[in-house]
């Protein structure tokens, strides 16, 4: 791992999933602007390298991953210690210690922050993820805007321009709306005259094929196997609408300003949801928080029925055709954030 001889190296740890990466884009861009002369390295799973570089906020990727959401070892770092290391991975000592093991000249972390700070960073459990990391950086004098989350248009052509992208998968079962409900939604959208395509991750072929069979979708509209990021990004950027659970594809729709319907269950959209605009609709039934990594569908997610999700999708599609916004602020189906 090398940087131009005249540039100091800055290492950021965010070795999580696609949604986590995209939620951190405002913070990463704040770091990029604050340290224009540094060579910015992002520790992240290698499968997300293309997505990370597409943000324009990092110069290089340090491959780093661990099972589930554990903190990976950063043993692929080579050369001198980082001049600056920033922990955007979490608020515990594990991620702080992984960076500290590289002996950086300076380390910014929630865990054991610099005692010279006039006020240390505060971890607020009910804060939105994008705002959390921007506020964290602000404590260190680094300005970041939570709204700075757009990705540039991808170079690749879309495999299905103008389609409605339905994505039934999610990393955990607790965030997966039932296959039969996704199929019912897809059937209704096709009946209404919309081109529907299905997508899934590399390990989700069985789920995607199940939904396709239930919805009677032709094989050409089933994009299985996990699209490479460039093609997936183009698909979303040029889609008419994205419908998914609380997963990375929902964040990608926000990054490309593509209208979206996102189905939330164990985690509130106040923590991970889209901006409250007329073109992103978060469906959520308030209730006690669940396990975002659970192995059964979350009860709150199951309270969203097929007719409700279909009506939301059709309304967004109609508004796109007319150029009007279908949802006033008080119609977004997300209640007020908890205190």
């Amino acid at each position: 791992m090398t940087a131009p001889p005249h540039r100091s190296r800055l290492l950021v740890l965010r070795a999580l999933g696609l949604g986590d990466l995209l939620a951190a884009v405002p913070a990463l861009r704040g770091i990029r602007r604050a340290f224009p002369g540094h060579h910015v390295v992002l520790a992240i799973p290698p499968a997300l390298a293309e997505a990370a570089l597409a943000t324009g906020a990092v110069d290089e990727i340090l491959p780093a991953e661990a099972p589930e959401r554990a903190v990976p070892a950063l043993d692929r770092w080579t050369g001198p210690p980082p001049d600056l290391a920033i922990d955007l991975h979490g608020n515990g000592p594990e991620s702080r210690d992984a960076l500290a093991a590289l002996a950086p000249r300076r380390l910014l972390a929630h865990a054991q922050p610099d005692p010279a700070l006039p006020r240390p960073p505060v971890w607020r459990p009910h804060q939105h993820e994008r705002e959390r990391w921007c506020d964290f950086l602000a404590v260190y004098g680094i300005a970041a805007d939570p709204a700075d989350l757009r990705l540039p248009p991808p170079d690749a052509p879309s495999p299905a321009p103008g389609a409605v992208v339905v994505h039934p998968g999610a990393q955990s079962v607790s965030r997966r709306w039932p296959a039969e409900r996704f199929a019912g939604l897809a059937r209704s959208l096709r009946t209404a005259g919309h081109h529907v395509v299905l997508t899934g991750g590399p390990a989700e072929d069985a789920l995607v094929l199940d939904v396709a069979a239930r919805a009677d979708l032709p094989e050409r509209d089933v994009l299985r196997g996990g699209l490479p990021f460039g093609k997936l990004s183009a698909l979303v950027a040029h889609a008419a609408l994205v419908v998914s659970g609380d997963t990375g594809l929902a964040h990608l729709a926000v990054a490309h300003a593509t209208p979206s319907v996102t189905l939330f269950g164990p985690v509130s959209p106040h923590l991970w949801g889209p901006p409250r605009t007329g073109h992103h609709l978060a469906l959520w039934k308030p209730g006690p928080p669940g396990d975002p990594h659970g192995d059964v569908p979350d009860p709150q997610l199951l309270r969203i029925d097929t007719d409700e999700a279909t009506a939301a999708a059709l309304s967004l599609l109609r508004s796109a055709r007319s150029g009007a916004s279908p949802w006033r602020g008080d119609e977004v189906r997300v209640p007020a954030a908890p205190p």
Side-chain angles (χ1 to χ4, degrees):
M1 177 162 304
T2 60
H6 61 285
R7 298 182 76 186
S8 300
R9 291 194 299 174
L10 186 162
L11 175 62
V12 181
L13 174 59
R14 183 75 173 177
L16 298 164
L18 176 62
D20 304 275
L21 166 64
L22 296 176
V25 164
L28 290 170
R29 288 184 173 152
I31 293 168
R32 170 81 286 169
R33 287 190 297 269
F35 300 95
H38 284 62
H39 186 79
V40 178
V41 181
L42 178 63
I44 199 167
L48 297 179
E50 188 178 359
L53 294 173
T55 69
V58 300
D59 299 305
E60 186 179 351
I61 300 304
L62 176 68
E65 59 186 336
E68 303 300 331
R69 295 175 70 84
V71 178
L74 303 178
D75 49 11
R76 295 193 183 186
W77 181 270
T78 58
D83 289 89
L84 174 63
I86 302 178
D87 181 5
L88 298 185
H89 193 91
N91 67 330
E94 296 84 1
S95 52
R96 184 273 321 276
D97 291 349
L99 288 167
L102 301 179
R105 292 178 58 189
R106 188 184 181 201
L107 172 59
L108 312 186
H110 262 285
Q112 295 183 3
D114 186 341
L117 287 173
R119 60 179 183 89
V122 177
W123 185 273
R124 297 179 175 86
H126 297 299
Q127 187 172 27
H128 195 286
E129 188 73 2
R130 289 190 296 271
E131 296 173 358
R132 178 194 312 288
W133 295 110
C134 292
D135 286 354
F136 164 74
L137 293 175
V139 172
Y140 293 96
I142 300 170
D145 179 2
D148 186 11
L149 45 74
R150 292 287 301 276
L151 291 183
D155 294 329
S158 169
V164 176
V165 177
V166 175
H167 184 85
Q171 188 177 42
S172 62
V173 177
S174 63
R175 289 182 280 126
R176 292 180 200 159
W177 206 44
E180 62 270 19
R181 299 191 194 182
F182 272 115
L185 178 144
R187 282 196 305 271
S188 296
L189 294 180
R190 293 186 71 212
T191 299
H194 299 284
H195 179 201
V196 176
V197 298
L198 291 179
T199 63
E204 294 176 339
D205 279 359
L207 172 61
V208 170
L209 290 172
D210 182 22
V211 174
R214 293 171 184 266
D216 197 26
L217 258 68
E219 185 175 350
R220 66 178 179 274
D221 292 331
V222 182
L223 306 177
R224 51 183 167 170
L227 296 178
F229 178 77
K231 187 173 288 189
L232 181 66
S233 184
L235 175 68
V236 170
H238 300 293
L241 178 73
V242 171
V243 182
S244 74
D246 174 19
T247 190
L249 205 71
H251 292 269
L252 190 58
V254 170
H256 285 310
T258 298
S260 65
V261 175
T262 307
L263 312 173
F264 282 84
V267 177
S268 163
H270 294 297
L271 305 181
W272 284 92
R276 292 173 67 90
T277 72
H279 301 291
H280 300 294
L281 181 59
L283 299 187
W284 180 55
K285 305 297 184 179
D291 179 3
H293 311 295
D295 55 7
V296 295
D298 183 78
Q300 306 304 118
L301 179 63
L302 295 179
R303 289 174 58 196
I304 303 170
D305 63 35
T306 307
D307 289 344
E308 181 179 8
T310 302
L314 289 172
S315 182
L316 285 174
L317 289 164
R318 284 193 298 269
S319 72
R321 287 179 174 176
S322 67
S325 175
W327 308 100
R328 298 191 309 271
D330 59 354
E331 289 180 309
V332 176
R333 300 176 191 177
V334 179

